[in-house]
Amino acid sequence: MRLEKCWFCSSTVYPGHGIQFVRNDAKIFRFCRSKCHKNFKMKRNPRKVKWTKAYRRLHAKDMTQDSTFEFERKRNRPERYDRNLAENTLKAIKTIDKVRTARQDRHHEKRMKGKRIKDQKETRKELVQSIHMVKAPSVLVQEPSLTMPKIKVKVSQQQVEENHAMEE
C-alpha cells in the first residue's frame, strides 16, 4: 500500500482517494481533494495559501528541520525482508512518533510564549479606549478611578475551600 503526498497541501493521499492529474509532459500531480485540485487549476501558489503545509513551514508555524522527518523520506531501493528488522522498525516508529510530538509541543509553546501577555495588553488598551461603552459618562465624572481599572484581589485558601464546599 503506497501512501502518496498531495502536491498542493502535502497531506497524505490514501489508495483509492483523491484526484490524479497528468500533464502533457507526463508529470503526475496527485491531490487529496477537489479543494487542492481547484486551487492548482487556478494556478495558486501553495506557499501563499495559508492552510497549506508549504505556507506553515515558510512562515515558521510548523517545524521545518527535524531529524525525525528523515524517516518519512521516500526510498525507492527494495529491501530484503527480515523479520527482526521489521519488528525493530515497528518499535522504532512508536518511539519516533513520541519524540516528534514532544518536539512539536515544545515548538508550539515557544511560538506562543509572549502571546498571552500581548493579548492582555491589547485587552487593557481596548478597555481604556471604550470604557464609555461599559459605564455611563456621568459615572465616569463622579468616580475617575473607573477610567483605569487596576483591581487585584487576593484570595485566601479558606475562601477557595468555602467556595468549593458551596459548589458541591
Side-chain angles (χ1 to χ4, degrees), residues 15-32:
H17 293 261
I19 301 164
Q20 188 171 341
F21 172 71
V22 182
R23 205 165 49 188
N24 287 341
D25 62 351
K27 172 105 173 77
I28 298 171
F29 300 93
R30 288 181 176 80
F31 305 103
C32 59

Side-chain angles (χ1 to χ4, degrees), residues 77-91:
R77 188 168 36 115
E79 292 288 332
R80 185 177 211 120
Y81 177 73
D82 182 12
R83 187 176 186 153
N84 294 332
L85 178 67
E87 188 177 311
N88 291 338
T89 304
L90 290 174
K91 288 179 184 176

Side-chain angles (χ1 to χ4, degrees), residues 63 66 68-69 71-72 89-105:
M63 290 192 310
D66 192 24
T68 57
F69 293 135
F71 296 106
E72 273 188 16
T89 304
L90 290 174
K91 288 179 184 176
I93 287 172
K94 292 176 185 174
T95 57
I96 290 166
D97 196 36
K98 287 179 186 175
V99 168
R100 180 182 292 148
T101 54
R103 287 180 181 173
Q104 284 176 340
D105 291 343

Side-chain angles (χ1 to χ4, degrees), residues 53-64 107 111:
K53 276 266 201 236
Y55 176 89
R56 293 188 63 77
R57 285 191 173 146
L58 186 67
H59 293 87
K61 306 288 183 192
D62 282 342
M63 290 192 310
T64 54
H107 175 77
R111 270 187 60 231

Side-chain angles (χ1 to χ4, degrees), residues 43 46 57 68 70 78 92 100 120 124 127 134 138 143 147 155:
K43 298 185 178 179
R57 285 191 173 146
T68 57
E70 190 67 28
R100 180 182 292 148
Q120 287 176 346
R124 272 194 216 110
L127 185 62
V134 180
S138 59
E143 294 184 45
T147 57
V155 179

